[in-house]
Amino acid sequence: MVKHTPNPTEPLSFLKEFTQARIALGSTGSSIPTKPSLEFKLAHAHARDAVYSVMDTEALADELEQFHLPVLQLHSRATSREQYLQRPDLGRLLDELSVNRLADQLENDGIVLILGDGLSATAINQNALDLLKLLMPKLQSAKLKLAPLCLVEQARVAIADGIAAELGASLSVILIGERPGLSAADSMGAYLTYMPRPGLTDDSRNCISNIRPEGLPVAQAADKLFYLIQESLSRKLSGVALKDNEGLLPNE
């Protein structure tokens, strides 16, 4: 967290050390000073840019080859960004070409890892590979079976259910760009679902959110995700039934 010099005219300014929220901005007459006003407008512009950012599928596909797994490039039924934003339901479904591409794969009862642009492709472009470089060795060392890696454009979280069902995967993990806020346009989420299938609701998933350099570091996110994957496979469940007890103090 960035250190801030206390402002004697603003008694709450010390709280800026603990949050990126817009607090203790000061005042100029009945308005806020020029600098925080311009910073707000810039953050708003970054958030809008993130929503319309594009996932660099070619570069990501090339980088994913280091994991020695097939890489499938898929697409939802949303044909444009405008349609994606207006019709969330289409972002949860695969288009026909993608369904056929998955049908050509051998069924795999292991884990399918998916990268989806979501509401901030910027988050995926900047954070996904760093997380996978830490997570994949853990999965491989644990000798867990892995399905082809999937890149999905115009994706919503639930599209992972259809992908996993087509591949016969027992567990899905989708890394996806989260809705950008005015202090975080590059935030990535990871959603884990055991025995995924179309029609599941969000209570069936576990989520790790705010993965980014100024939020949850990728190293901690990779450790947390690996823990949840192991627990999910061991206990054969996910979502509200799977409690994250890692790091809790032992009972005395």
Side-chain angles (χ1 to χ4, degrees), residues 180-195:
L182 292 174
S183 61
D186 60 344
S187 180
M188 182 177 72
Y191 292 80
L192 175 149
T193 310
Y194 181 74
M195 294 306 291

Side-chain angles (χ1 to χ4, degrees), residues 222-239:
D223 288 343
K224 180 70 68 178
L225 190 51
F226 181 59
Y227 165 81
L228 288 173
I229 288 171
Q230 290 182 303
E231 287 290 293
S232 180
L233 293 174
S234 173
R235 300 175 62 188
K236 302 185 185 306
L237 48 80
S238 64

Side-chain angles (χ1 to χ4, degrees), residues 87-190:
R87 293 285 306 275
D89 57 313
L90 297 180
R92 302 184 185 110
L93 302 171
L94 291 165
D95 65 11
E96 185 176 356
L97 181 61
S98 298
V99 172
N100 293 338
R101 189 167 293 164
L102 290 171
D104 292 337
Q105 304 296 312
L106 295 175
E107 282 213 357
N108 187 308
D109 61 355
I111 301 168
V112 58
L113 296 170
I114 303 159
L115 275 61
D117 48 8
L119 286 165
S120 175
T122 297
I124 296 300
N125 293 336
Q126 295 182 0
N127 302 309
L129 279 171
D130 289 339
L131 188 147
L132 288 177
K133 287 176 182 178
L134 297 172
L135 177 64
M136 291 295 283
K138 298 176 186 291
L139 299 176
Q140 292 164 345
S141 295
K143 302 187 184 306
L144 295 175
K145 191 174 181 181
L146 299 174
L149 297 167
C150 297
L151 287 167
V152 194
E153 296 180 84
Q154 311 295 7
R156 299 279 179 173
V157 171
I159 204 166
D161 298 339
I163 294 171
E166 291 289 339
L167 292 173
S170 58
L171 188 143
S172 69
V173 174
I174 182 169
L175 306 179
I176 194 165
E178 296 184 309
R179 185 185 304 277
L182 292 174
S183 61
D186 60 344
S187 180
M188 182 177 72

Side-chain angles (χ1 to χ4, degrees), residues 8-36:
T9 65
E10 188 55 63
L12 297 180
S13 63
F14 74 96
L15 293 175
K16 290 185 176 184
E17 289 189 27
F18 309 104
T19 180
Q20 289 183 298
R22 285 175 169 77
I23 60 174
L25 299 180
S27 62
T28 300
S30 60
S31 185
I32 63 175
T34 300
K35 183 180 178 182

